[in-house]
Amino acid sequence: MKKLIKFPSLIITVNTNGKNLKRGKELNDISPVTDHSILIEDGFIKDIIPNTSLNKIHVDEVIDIKDKIVLPGLIECHTHAAFVGSRANEFIQRLNGMSYEQILNNGGGIISTVNAVRNSSYDELISILKPKIDHFITQGITTLEIKSGYGLSYYDEIKLLQVIDFFKKNSKIDIISTFLGAHVFPLEYKNDHSGYLKLIIDELLPYIKKNNLSEFVDVYCEKSAFNIEETELILSKAQKLNYKIRLHTNQFNSIGGIQLAIKFKALSVDHLEVITENEILEISKSDTVAVLLPGVSFFSKTDYAPARKLIDNNAIVALSTDYNPGTSNIINLHLIMSLAAINMNMSPEEIISAVTINAAKALDISNITGSIETGKQADFAIFDTKDYRDIIYNIGQNLNLMTIKKGEIIYKKL
Ligand code: NIG
Ligand code: FE
């Protein structure tokens, strides 16, 4: 089956010449192409063809997008979308001066979402997650990562991963799950850390692997969550079981998470709002992606991660919503792109690289998606503008017109 994405005014290829990532200065090069169309064969990108040669090509279907621009399908690489309930009360408490860590230490925060998730059935969680995934799709997102981490018991973590697994099998986009059983210590293990570590290491990690419920393990490495020794124990077992590793670290404190992540060859370190100059250099030398989450800083009125310094030192930088009820109740990747421009001084081009190829790299899928290069999946976001900077400039608007996954139109604005 051959299809043609015909006559776009611009193709933002985010070409990497087969490197499948962008570091430092490379983020600024998104390789726009004019006067070309994209040939798709059986869901994959076959060629990018000059419009002058189109008469030689026979296709089964034409998707005419005159005056629109094509980007690689956006990749949302860090969310906690599988949650229920509202924490509006805490949001207001924080605006009135209480800190996130204070709320967590008082048994609120993540723990209050854990209570809500434990009280929800598999079916309830499915019906709550479905419209959220659909909302991401309307924004041009073609791959979405979702973490567990609000169950924090054997039964409830598996329940959450099974909910996400339902969408892996029944969604129009690729859904990737990450096991975040080590989000915080649940109340019943507050004074028995080794008991909870045992549950994760001896029971959950092997079960999840055996049942193919997740390829990824994440840990919240932070003073109020898992310390370095605890994180290392979990990562060691995860590595033995061949999980791919990611880490929430340096959100409030610099306690050695970055060094540990690099030692374990983690795919990404996420947050980095609190980071030393030396740590910036260490990440920049490594192959670990720095996933920055400006929605957290905006929502929580805290410092932004030093995107400029990371990029200027040659790091691989990605961006994501971190969509969650406590620190970034923002289900809008385009808004995150605007925040990165305004508050992190990232250029529009760097931002596009950060939500496409580098976000794909953080999920270890940048060899199959994240840029418009021959042989990759035909995953595209079609925007209703001639100037890609409009996506960032029109704050809070959705200029995405069409989302295409493996060559199929899965969303079209009415
Ligand atoms: O990425 N900080 C840890 N985890 C999430 C927040 C989760 C929550 O507050 O519910 C984050 O910010
Ligand atoms: Fe997060």
Side-chain angles (χ1 to χ4, degrees):
M1 175 86 168
K2 286 189 177 169
K3 294 187 188 184
L4 194 66
I5 308 280
K6 199 171 177 186
F7 294 151
S9 59
L10 196 62
I11 305 170
I12 306 290
T13 65
V14 195
N15 183 36
T16 66
N17 294 314
K19 263 178 76 180
N20 297 328
L21 62 88
K22 286 190 184 277
R23 34 164 100 240
K25 285 193 176 68
E26 294 167 351
L27 274 97
N28 243 327
D29 177 12
I30 53 173
S31 301
V33 172
T34 52
D35 303 313
H36 280 64
S37 295
I38 306 172
L39 181 64
I40 302 172
E41 191 172 38
D42 299 331
F44 288 84
I45 300 165
K46 180 83 178 157
D47 209 351
I48 301 173
I49 304 168
N51 289 339
T52 47
S53 333
L54 288 184
N55 51 353
K56 295 178 209 137
I57 308 257
H58 169 79
V59 293
D60 305 289
E61 191 186 325
V62 168
I63 303 173
D64 194 324
I65 54 161
K66 196 162 175 291
D67 295 336
K68 317 294 179 207
I69 61 173
V70 190
L71 264 72
L74 307 185
I75 313 286
E76 171 50 280
C77 68
H78 178 145
T79 84
H80 306 253
F83 70 85
V84 291
S86 163
R87 280 161 49 197
N89 56 336
E90 291 176 11
F91 177 59
I92 305 300
Q93 281 173 344
R94 277 197 300 98
L95 292 178
N96 288 327
M98 203 185 268
S99 79
Y100 179 76
E101 288 178 299
Q102 255 172 315
I103 293 171
L104 182 61
N105 292 334
N106 293 342
I110 293 171
I111 295 297
S112 69
T113 304
V114 169
N115 292 333
V117 165
R118 287 182 178 179
N119 286 325
S120 303
S121 67
Y122 172 86
D123 288 341
E124 283 164 342
L125 289 165
I126 297 243
S127 61
I128 288 167
L129 187 49
K130 167 94 176 66
K132 296 180 182 183
I133 294 174
D134 289 343
H135 189 59
F136 277 118
I137 294 174
T138 66
Q139 297 164 39
I141 286 159
T142 51
T143 302
L144 169 66
E145 187 259 13
I146 306 174
K147 299 176 199 296
S148 70
Y150 292 124
L152 308 190
S153 70
Y154 186 76
Y155 174 82
D156 294 290
E157 278 298 305
I158 291 170
K159 178 177 75 180
L160 268 185
L161 288 172
Q162 282 169 340
V163 167
I164 304 168
D165 198 55
F166 171 85
F167 290 105
K168 280 190 201 170
K169 292 170 179 149
N170 295 284
S171 191
K172 290 178 179 156
I173 58 171
D174 286 324
I175 303 288
I176 293 182
S177 63
T178 300
F179 172 55
L180 179 61
H183 201 178
V184 289
F185 286 91
L187 284 186
E188 59 277 21
Y189 285 100
K190 206 174 170 194
N191 299 313
D192 179 17
H193 282 198
S194 62
Y196 192 60
L197 290 171
K198 240 171 118 38
L199 176 67
I200 290 186
I201 290 169
D202 295 343
E203 297 188 46
L204 280 162
L205 285 174
Y207 181 92
I208 290 161
K209 189 73 191 182
K210 188 159 159 249
N211 291 280
N212 250 326
L213 283 172
S214 181
E215 286 181 74
F216 294 82
V217 168
D218 193 344
V219 176
Y220 184 25
C221 180
E222 182 55 63
K223 276 187 184 165
S224 52
F226 290 77
N227 68 28
I228 282 292
E229 291 73 34
E230 293 163 343
T231 304
E232 180 152 20
L233 285 174
I234 296 167
L235 297 189
S236 300
K237 179 66 181 241
Q239 193 175 55
K240 273 202 198 94
L241 294 174
N242 280 323
Y243 279 101
K244 297 174 184 179
I245 290 168
R246 304 183 61 190
L247 213 58
H248 276 73
T249 189
N250 294 64
Q251 182 177 8
F252 297 109
N253 299 283
S254 168
I255 59 167
I258 290 172
Q259 292 77 359
L260 193 65
I262 293 173
K263 177 172 146 194
F264 278 89
K265 297 196 168 25
L267 284 168
S268 72
V269 276
D270 305 43
H271 274 289
L272 314 183
E273 290 89 350
V274 176
I275 184 169
T276 66
E277 296 291 326
N278 216 24
E279 286 169 334
I280 292 174
L281 296 179
E282 286 178 85
I283 295 177
S284 303
K285 276 190 284 179
S286 77
D287 291 331
T288 297
V289 179
V291 176
L292 308 185
L293 311 164
V296 172
S297 310
F298 176 68
F299 187 87
S300 313
K301 302 217 305 187
T302 48
D303 288 343
Y304 286 81
R308 260 296 25 101
K309 281 190 180 173
L310 283 158
I311 295 173
D312 293 345
N313 278 293
N314 217 25
I316 311 168
V317 168
L319 288 164
S320 163
T321 61
D322 194 14
Y323 174 49
N324 78 76
T327 64
S328 181
N329 192 21
I330 302 174
I331 189 166
N332 184 334
L333 187 57
H334 302 172
L335 174 60
I336 298 304
M337 295 166 74
S338 301
L339 293 177
I342 295 169
N343 295 307
M344 290 174 147
N345 290 324
M346 286 176 69
S347 72
E349 295 77 15
E350 288 170 339
I351 291 167
I352 288 173
S353 296
V355 295
T356 55
I357 193 68
N358 284 356
K361 171 78 181 154
L363 296 172
D364 204 22
I365 51 168
S366 64
N367 56 333
I368 56 162
T369 189
S371 62
I372 303 181
E373 294 181 80
T374 306
K376 285 196 174 182
Q377 285 179 187
D379 297 350
F380 308 121
I382 314 290
F383 285 90
D384 192 7
T385 173
K386 286 186 183 168
D387 182 346
Y388 60 85
R389 296 174 303 182
D390 279 340
I391 303 166
I392 294 160
Y393 164 63
N394 288 280
I395 299 176
Q397 272 189 56
N398 183 7
L399 299 188
N400 181 57
L401 193 66
M402 202 186 275
T403 308
I404 297 178
K405 182 71 190 176
K406 290 184 195 145
E408 300 293 327
I409 299 175
I410 58 165
Y411 164 79
K412 200 172 172 184
K413 200 180 259 173
L414 292 175

